[in-house]
Amino acid sequence: MSASVPGVPTRTRILEAAIACFDRSGFHGASMGAICAEAGMSPGALYRYFPSKDAIIAAIVEADRERHAGFFSRLAEADDPVEALATIGIEMMDEMFAEGGTMLAVEVTAESRRNEAIRAVVRARADQCRTAISDALTRGQERGLVDPALVAGEAAQIIMAIADGLFAQKAQDPTLTADRLRDTLRTLLGRFLRPVGR
Amino acid sequence: MSASVPGVPTRTRILEAAIACFDRSGFHGASMGAICAEAGMSPGALYRYFPSKDAIIAAIVEADRERHAGFFSRLAEADDPVEALATIGIEMMDEMFAEGGTMLAVEVTAESRRNEAIRAVVRARADQCRTAISDALTRGQERGLVDPALVAGEAAQIIMAIADGLFAQKAQDPTLTADRLRDTLRTLLGRFLRPVGR
DNA sequence: CCACCGAGAGTGAACGTTCATTCTCACGTT
DNA sequence: AACGTGAGAATGAACGTTCACTCTCGGTGG
């Protein structure tokens, strides 16, 4: 129950409470009552800041999307896309494995299958990421750092699948740690993307 | 609404109806009423075959687990584990991408975070698959078909992540087809697993 | 200095709906 | 008559949401 801390705006407090509840019970399992209790306020007060439960979910997903986009913005400026991808990927994995970020990835994927608004946000994020990776790979191919035989768009898709897959694995087995996978992941990316002769 | 077909037992009819509803609305979004309507029967009749909604979910997940186990049983008898993994992986992807199998993978992952019974089944399946892949890789290493520098257990984990990730991608973008990914996936596995000198 | 005011944040009981589940009973077969 | 089967209305809990209201202050006229 996060009490009324002066510095934190009410809207943020609600979002944080909602994330905690969704993490515990999922989007549909968490009740507005539980979110209200977690935020330390009554339903009436909460509905002053968000018109509906769906609006809260949408706000959370949107914030998550922006955070993700931040990761990939660095890709455009990197000299070596393979090196940058590995570093960014490992950084993302570390962050997501540490806190409750895992739940969001899994829950959002499931929800995007039926919630129109969320599907739109997810689609936009996916396009954005895939384009960023694909462009970086193409540039890498021009400089001889990436195997020219690869189809950049499809390789990008697979790389995104690996990211999503790691979150799914973590969700299924919370004891999974990032340390054990770091090296193997780096090896995988290097061998997959580099020119075969090396 | 699947009517009463003589050949199909009632229990199976219920499970098929439930899968259709869950595919449409998710485990929590689909109501028992909807499942009854889809199966063409009343609640009273349905509850004669399953004691609860959770029991239906558990039965579906369990059946799915057995289907998965079938895929990996072939791995033990293969001469070349890399070749076998690629073939099995592509076969799995084709099947899952074709029908509504995608939803199950995603929904089950999300549900396993909070449903004790489902978590147990998921954990069992994951262990089973990882061991099968890991053993196959170890045998491949002994025969010089797999890079000896790889840690078999971690490589297996990453391979499973790729599979889960592909389902997540498909869930997020239903227009994604298996054809576009087949070759890239095969390339990825080969380069990841084979000894570097080739 | 103080009584009063208005505005906006917050309250929590109540509402209508939906859900999973149970109950009762009619029907067809033996 | 006795029994297994299924239909469908009934039940009670839980949900998201609303609404009439209270509380808290900073500002204002006297």
Side-chain angles (χ1 to χ4, degrees), chain A residues 2-70:
Chain A
S2 62
S4 178
V5 182
V8 181
T10 310
R11 232 187 101 95
T12 307
R13 234 175 67 223
I14 294 172
L15 288 178
E16 279 167 5
I19 288 174
C21 290
F22 290 151
D23 184 35
R24 229 177 284 129
S25 324
F27 284 156
H28 290 282
S31 72
M32 290 300 266
I35 296 173
C36 289
E38 181 83 27
M41 68 199 325
S42 61
L46 189 149
Y47 273 87
R48 196 170 282 280
Y49 295 89
F50 291 94
S52 69
K53 189 182 182 180
D54 271 352
I56 297 179
I57 296 176
I60 291 175
V61 174
E62 177 62 28
D64 193 53
R65 192 194 73 88
E66 277 170 24
R67 216 162 49 82
H68 267 236

Side-chain angles (χ1 to χ4, degrees), chain A residues 23 113 147 154 180 191, chain B residues 23 113 147 180 191:
Chain A
D23 184 35
R113 283 181 38 85
D147 185 350
E154 291 168 29
R180 301 220 324 269
R191 293 199 187 159
Chain B
D23 184 36
R113 282 180 41 84
D147 184 351
R180 300 220 323 270
R191 292 198 188 162

Side-chain angles (χ1 to χ4, degrees), chain B residues 174-196:
Chain B
T175 66
L176 194 65
T177 60
D179 315 284
R180 300 220 323 270
L181 294 172
R182 247 186 292 265
D183 289 344
T184 310
L185 187 60
R186 199 174 271 277
T187 303
L188 169 72
L189 284 176
R191 292 198 188 162
F192 177 39
L193 299 173
R194 291 294 188 204
V196 276

Side-chain angles (χ1 to χ4, degrees), chain A residues 118-173:
Chain A
I118 290 192
R119 181 162 50 242
V121 176
V122 165
R123 201 72 64 87
R125 170 177 70 189
D127 284 349
Q128 195 176 356
C129 292
R130 190 173 45 248
T131 305
I133 297 174
S134 183
D135 289 353
L137 290 181
T138 304
R139 256 180 310 109
Q141 285 173 328
E142 287 162 4
R143 295 188 211 169
L145 295 165
V146 172
D147 185 350
L150 286 172
V151 181
E154 291 168 29
Q157 185 98 49
I158 295 259
I159 288 172
M160 287 174 61
I162 295 173
D164 273 349
L166 285 173
F167 298 146
Q169 296 281 310
K170 172 68 173 174
Q172 286 171 38
D173 180 5

